[in-house]
Amino acid sequence: MAFNWTWQRWTTVMAAGVVIALPGHGRFLEALPPAYAVAVFSALATQDLVAKMTLSEHADQLNQLTLVGDEVWKTDGKPADSDYETDQVSFYRSVYVEAMQSEKGRSLGAAARAKQLRATQKLQQRIDLAWSGGAVAGQLVNLDGEIWSLSQIAEHFTWTASDAGIVAGRAAVDLHFEPRPNLKSHTRIEHVLGATAGNLMVDRITGQILSGDFRSLGEVRFGGGLLAHLTFHGEFRLQPAGDCWVIRNVRVDVQGRVLFSRLHGTQINTYSLAVADNASRH
């Protein structure tokens, strides 16, 4: 899936990764009467919610978990162009690290496995570097191989919060985000951040993100639209894994063109928990 990884899959990881990374919490809101919830979220609590966001409750325990992921890419109108793969997702210092295990039902060859291992080692080095700067478990995000803190991501958006009722059995907050106006982008990742909006459903007590949706604001252009122009929208859900929470599924619909190729399709990722002893990882 090299081609899909470069554009379609990269867009999926970017869009999904951004929204997965941004929950927040406000413990004192539990005691407030419902009639005051929206006003208090808007006037007092929103920045506190964002500043205290976390990827997973008890994120320090993620390093003992392994996920198995099934990824399917369905090309609109061209079933023959559809693709699928199986991935293994481990956690290093609580950061998602994904490696392909098979493609179209065939295990990877030795050269491909070695390439995956080198990529994993390089990513772990980047995580170590970010960790040395004082990161906390659950506060680092893997965005297309770059390691970002949640605060870095949050700075690219403006936020509003409102009561979301009960989501996944929990009293939740709806955090709506849109790109901060007049924020210049210097990298490909910042370019996508500057074109993405959405909503996060977050546990108002613990800050655990439960689900969300996201979309591009109009067409996202690369090279003035000559290299690529894309629109996307999608949604995701998380699931409990013991005391932690991990990704359950992601769906992204992408439409556009890459150079002279049409890119219209849907990517669906589904994850289940695997039993593994990874206690030796940091």
Side-chain angles (χ1 to χ4, degrees), residues 123-136:
L123 181 60
Q124 289 176 339
Q125 292 173 356
R126 293 173 180 169
I127 295 170
D128 285 336
L129 181 61
W131 194 267
S132 67
V136 178

Side-chain angles (χ1 to χ4, degrees), residues 19-230:
V19 294
I20 289 171
L22 299 172
H25 76 275
R27 189 180 302 273
F28 70 93
L29 293 169
E30 280 293 302
L32 296 176
Y36 295 99
V38 174
V40 172
F41 279 131
S42 299
L44 300 175
T46 303
Q47 291 306 312
D48 182 61
L49 297 178
V50 175
K52 296 179 180 180
M53 57 192 173
T54 179
L55 285 174
S56 179
E57 298 171 2
H58 306 286
D60 58 311
Q61 299 180 25
L62 286 172
N63 298 333
Q64 282 76 51
L65 302 180
T66 302
L67 302 179
V68 176
D70 293 318
E71 177 180 306
V72 179
W73 167 253
K74 299 180 178 180
T75 301
D76 292 349
K78 294 183 178 180
D81 291 343
S82 297
D83 208 346
Y84 62 92
E85 69 181 53
T86 300
D87 304 311
Q88 177 177 292
V89 181
S90 57
F91 297 87
Y92 183 77
R93 298 192 186 275
S94 308
V95 180
Y96 285 75
V97 178
E98 183 173 343
M100 186 190 302
Q101 300 297 298
S102 66
E103 186 175 14
K104 290 188 174 180
R106 296 188 298 271
S107 298
L108 299 185
R113 292 197 304 271
K115 182 177 181 180
Q116 293 278 313
L117 178 60
R118 290 193 298 271
T120 296
Q121 292 171 337
K122 183 179 294 186
L123 181 60
Q124 289 176 339
Q125 292 173 356
R126 293 173 180 169
I127 295 170
D128 285 336
L129 181 61
W131 194 267
S132 67
V136 178
Q139 299 296 310
L140 293 178
V141 186
N142 175 11
L143 294 182
D144 191 37
E146 295 187 18
I147 305 303
W148 285 51
S149 69
L150 299 184
S151 60
Q152 284 179 293
I153 298 174
E155 290 173 356
H156 287 73
F157 299 98
T158 59
W159 298 84
T160 56
S162 59
D163 180 47
I166 303 299
V167 177
R170 298 193 176 197
V173 176
D174 181 346
L175 281 177
H176 175 74
F177 61 93
E178 293 192 4
R180 189 177 297 278
N182 304 318
L183 190 65
K184 294 183 179 180
S185 60
H186 303 284
T187 66
R188 185 172 60 175
I189 290 178
E190 290 179 334
H191 186 52
V192 174
L193 291 175
T196 303
N199 295 75
L200 304 178
M201 302 299 148
V202 177
D203 185 308
R204 66 170 63 190
I205 296 177
T206 68
Q208 173 61 54
I209 191 167
L210 305 169
S211 63
D213 59 77
F214 51 93
R215 65 189 183 281
S216 58
L217 297 174
E219 200 169 60
V220 184
R221 294 175 174 267
F222 297 88
L226 297 177
L227 295 178
H229 53 90
L230 308 164

Side-chain angles (χ1 to χ4, degrees), residues 233-277:
H233 63 89
E235 60 185 7
F236 63 94
R237 299 288 184 274
L238 277 82
Q239 60 184 328
D243 292 332
C244 309
W245 281 69
V246 296
I247 190 66
R248 178 180 180 182
N249 53 55
V250 181
R251 177 190 174 101
V252 183
D253 294 285
V254 182
Q255 294 191 1
R257 297 189 71 86
V258 178
L259 295 178
F260 304 107
S261 300
R262 181 177 179 267
L263 182 62
H264 286 202
T266 300
Q267 180 170 313
I268 301 173
N269 292 69
T270 305
Y271 298 89
S272 57
L273 187 64
V275 177
D277 182 9

